[in-house]
Amino acid sequence: MRSARGLAKPTLLITVASLVAQVIQWGFFTVVAATFSQADREIYFYAARVPIEIIQATLQSTLNIVFVPLLIRYLRHHDPQVGQAQARAFAGAFLRALGLGLLVMVVIGEIWSMVLAKALTAGNQELPPSALGEIAWLIRVFFPCAAITSLGTILASVHFAHNRFGAPALALIMTTAAQLVTLWLLLQVCGVRAAGWAHLAGATAYLATTSVFAASRRHFQWRWSVRHAGVRAAWRKLGPLFGGTFLFRGPRFIEVQVASSLPKGTVSNLGYAYKLTGALAQLLQRGPVLSLLPHSARDAAHEDRVSGRHAFVVTTSMVLFALLPIVVALIVLRVPIYRCLLERGDFKLQDSVMAANATAWYAGALAALTLNGIAAYSLYARQEVNFMVWAGLIGTVMSAVGAPLLGRLGGYAGLAGAFSLAMIAANGYTYYSLHQHWGGIQWRLLLDSLWRLGLAAALMGVVVWCGRSLCESVPAYALGPPTDIRTVHETLQLALTLVVFGVFGGAVYLGTAALLGSREVASLWALVRDKWRSMRP
């Protein structure tokens, strides 16, 4: 059975790359907040909702889920040469079939872009007349971006199947770096359309980077035919999986529809809150799930459920160790975080408060999305996909009922709360499906980790909240001025205060978890100690 150290190296590599990529990505959003008007921010977040947050995310997740386990099954053939030949034939046929499907998707997006723009903005009477055209133009650009990124995802999957994580990790950084540089160069020339060109540059950089050592005859059989038994098996799985994953994104579309009828700025500020939540969820789960998927697929090929359960518990415990303090910090320090990241230009104090309060309500969604990824990928590795349809349907139905009701009662906070409830319900069904498939999960181990880490995170939250309250009572040490941030000095002062709180809170969390006997802290300390000893002469 694999230990935490066996999964630690690829997990750490992808997680560090994701962290760097997310930092650069938030540089992109900071530029958008500082230079775009509120109307332009609304246009961008309306347009990005369907192609970027729904279609591109759906394609990336489903392709990894279907392609990697099947490719590994071919590679695990008892005759290595036969296995390599079968894997090459399957990969080539799958890539050609995918290219044809993506071409159809792009054509549909180009034709129906204006219809999508009108559907997204229905109920919003405050957008300028030119906004529909700009939204439609961005949608027409975002659809090819989704297609290019999907092709890059297949090439990245080849790396994952061969236990190579360097190129996919570099691709994450190159994507966001290309987006930020392109936005900065074209901002004065193209206005809001610079965001579209930036996403196109990022998708191209992703495809170019993942093609290194993957787009070769060693891994793909270059023929015109798309006929292959593996492709037929993949598409049979891809149908329900794509439908379920699309339904799982449905609550976001419903949320935007309801938010269109709320005061001006709600769509963009909710968009920022969800971007931060989604970025943290990706950061927390991307490394673990992408390193877990190949291992779980190999365990499934050998019908080794014991090893699969062990890998799942180890990975979930690692994620909980990082997840709980982040959730607490988002709740306790939400306003200073947004003020430091985004409050400049046309992004005012009231925008920071709205986005921050929405993020606090998204905390439940952050936990649900992160943990759902671990459980779902454990099922995907065993070619179990039908559960996703029911999980997505549960989430969409709950959002369809809860978003209009809670949105009317609580405004933007009610919308965020409805989304969190929908994601928690969908995640509950995913864990139920995993429990049924395995005949049980090692719940005792998970609950043991949860109470120790949860108590440590709660104590951290209390200490940080008391420290923040004390600072707020002394104007000279308050977390940000009582008005809009206008100078770099104010931003740096706020950032320094957040760093101090972060370090102090992290020390409280780690110390308390260690005193409570957390296995995760012990494993982390052992890993650091072994690494230090190996570096010594």
Side-chain angles (χ1 to χ4, degrees):
M1 291 188 296
R2 294 175 182 85
S3 64
R5 298 187 190 185
L7 293 169
K9 186 175 180 180
T11 298
L12 183 62
L13 178 62
I14 298 294
T15 302
V16 170
S18 298
L19 176 60
V20 175
Q22 293 297 345
V23 170
I24 300 173
Q25 181 82 65
W26 273 90
F28 175 91
F29 291 129
T30 300
V31 173
V32 169
T35 57
F36 282 19
S37 65
Q38 189 177 68
D40 285 344
R41 292 201 305 268
E42 296 276 294
I43 289 171
Y44 171 73
F45 280 105
Y46 268 123
R49 196 67 82 231
V50 172
I52 299 299
E53 291 188 3
I54 296 180
I55 295 179
Q56 181 170 314
T58 300
L59 282 171
Q60 284 185 277
S61 58
T62 53
L63 291 176
N64 266 327
I65 290 159
V66 171
F67 184 77
V68 172
L70 284 173
L71 185 62
I72 287 177
R73 286 178 183 271
Y74 286 117
L75 291 172
R76 297 296 292 178
H77 195 276
H78 59 85
D79 186 339
Q81 291 185 344
V82 174
Q84 288 286 348
Q86 291 180 348
R88 287 175 59 245
F90 164 66
F94 189 88
L95 187 64
R96 290 187 291 273
L98 175 67
L100 292 175
L102 292 174
L103 181 61
V104 173
M105 183 196 74
V106 171
V107 171
I108 292 174
E110 296 295 315
I111 295 174
W112 289 87
S113 59
M114 183 58 73
V115 176
L116 285 172
K118 291 180 179 179
L120 287 168
T121 58
N124 192 332
Q125 306 297 327
E126 299 182 357
L127 283 176
S130 60
L132 272 181
E134 296 293 338
I135 294 172
W137 186 91
L138 287 173
I139 289 175
R140 286 197 295 270
V141 174
F142 287 159
F143 267 96
C145 291
I148 295 171
T149 305
S150 300
L151 295 176
T153 299
I154 290 298
L155 299 180
S157 299
V158 172
H159 289 280
F160 295 140
H162 289 83
N163 275 335
R164 296 195 303 260
F165 296 90
L170 179 61
L172 298 176
I173 300 173
M174 294 298 294
T175 301
T176 52
Q179 289 178 351
L180 179 58
V181 172
T182 305
L183 177 68
W184 184 261
L185 292 175
L186 298 181
L187 189 60
Q188 300 299 325
V189 179
C190 303
V192 70
R193 295 192 178 191
W197 295 117
H199 280 282
L200 186 60
T204 305
Y206 184 76
L207 177 61
T209 309
T210 53
S211 65
V212 177
F213 305 123
S216 66
R217 291 182 178 274
R218 290 172 49 213
H219 301 115
F220 294 93
Q221 190 178 75
W222 300 107
R223 295 180 179 177
W224 288 107
S225 175
V226 297
R227 295 181 179 180
H228 190 276
V231 173
R232 290 192 291 272
W235 285 105
R236 282 195 295 270
K237 297 290 184 182
L238 200 60
L241 183 60
F242 186 86
T245 311
F246 191 85
L247 282 172
F248 202 79
R249 307 281 174 178
R252 288 298 300 150
F253 184 82
I254 295 171
E255 186 181 70
V256 175
Q257 292 297 104
V258 178
S260 296
S261 61
L262 295 179
K264 186 178 180 181
T266 301
V267 171
S268 59
N269 290 327
L270 278 176
Y272 272 116
Y274 181 76
K275 286 290 185 182
L276 181 59
T277 304
L280 290 172
Q282 285 188 9
L283 177 64
L284 289 167
Q285 70 169 243
R286 179 177 276 163
V289 300
L290 292 182
S291 58
L292 178 67
L293 181 60
H295 293 301
S296 297
R298 293 186 185 92
D299 293 336
H302 291 92
E303 298 182 356
D304 188 354
R305 292 192 176 187
V306 175
S307 181
R309 279 196 295 264
H310 177 74
F312 168 76
V313 171
V314 168
T315 305
T316 305
S317 298
M318 291 166 55
V319 170
L320 281 173
F321 175 69
L323 171 66
L324 293 176
I326 289 177
V327 169
V328 171
L330 275 183
I331 296 174
V332 176
L333 297 173
R334 58 189 185 276
V335 175
I337 289 173
Y338 273 95
R339 300 200 69 186
C340 181
L341 288 175
L342 300 175
E343 195 172 302
R344 51 189 57 85
D346 199 41
F347 198 92
K348 305 299 184 182
L349 175 59
Q350 61 182 5
D351 297 310
S352 296
V353 173
M354 180 184 292
N357 290 337
T359 302
W361 286 98
Y362 276 137
L366 171 60
L369 288 170
T370 304
L371 296 176
N372 183 79
I374 308 298
Y377 270 73
S378 297
L379 287 167
Y380 296 149
R382 288 154 179 79
Q383 297 294 290
E384 295 289 333
V385 298
N386 292 331
F387 78 94
M388 196 62 187
V389 176
W390 292 105
L393 186 62
I394 289 171
T396 300
V397 169
M398 283 203 64
S399 182
V401 174
L405 177 62
L406 295 181
R408 177 173 295 182
L409 295 176
Y412 65 89
L415 286 179
F419 180 79
S420 290
L421 290 175
M423 292 300 99
I424 290 171
N427 183 52
Y429 183 81
T430 301
Y431 272 78
Y432 170 76
S433 300
L434 185 62
H435 178 86
Q436 293 292 105
H437 178 74
W438 273 341
I441 301 175
Q442 296 173 338
W443 293 109
R444 183 174 297 178
L445 292 176
L446 285 178
L447 291 175
D448 182 70
S449 295
L450 182 61
W451 85 262
R452 297 174 194 272
L453 297 175
L455 185 59
L459 181 60
M460 182 199 82
V462 171
V463 171
V464 173
W465 179 265
C466 292
R468 179 189 170 182
S469 300
L470 181 62
C471 285
E472 294 292 348
S473 65
V474 182
Y477 298 97
L479 280 79
T483 57
D484 298 332
I485 293 177
R486 293 185 175 88
T487 65
V488 176
H489 174 74
E490 291 174 339
T491 302
L492 292 177
Q493 183 181 6
L494 185 57
L496 180 61
T497 307
L498 286 173
V499 169
V500 171
F501 273 108
V503 172
F504 181 65
V508 171
Y509 174 70
L510 290 175
T512 306
L515 289 175
L516 294 173
S518 169
R519 294 186 303 274
E520 292 74 27
V521 176
S523 298
L524 179 64
W525 172 245
L527 186 65
V528 172
R529 185 179 56 203
D530 292 348
K531 186 66 175 178
W532 172 256
R533 288 176 177 175
S534 66
M535 293 173 62
R536 296 177 64 183

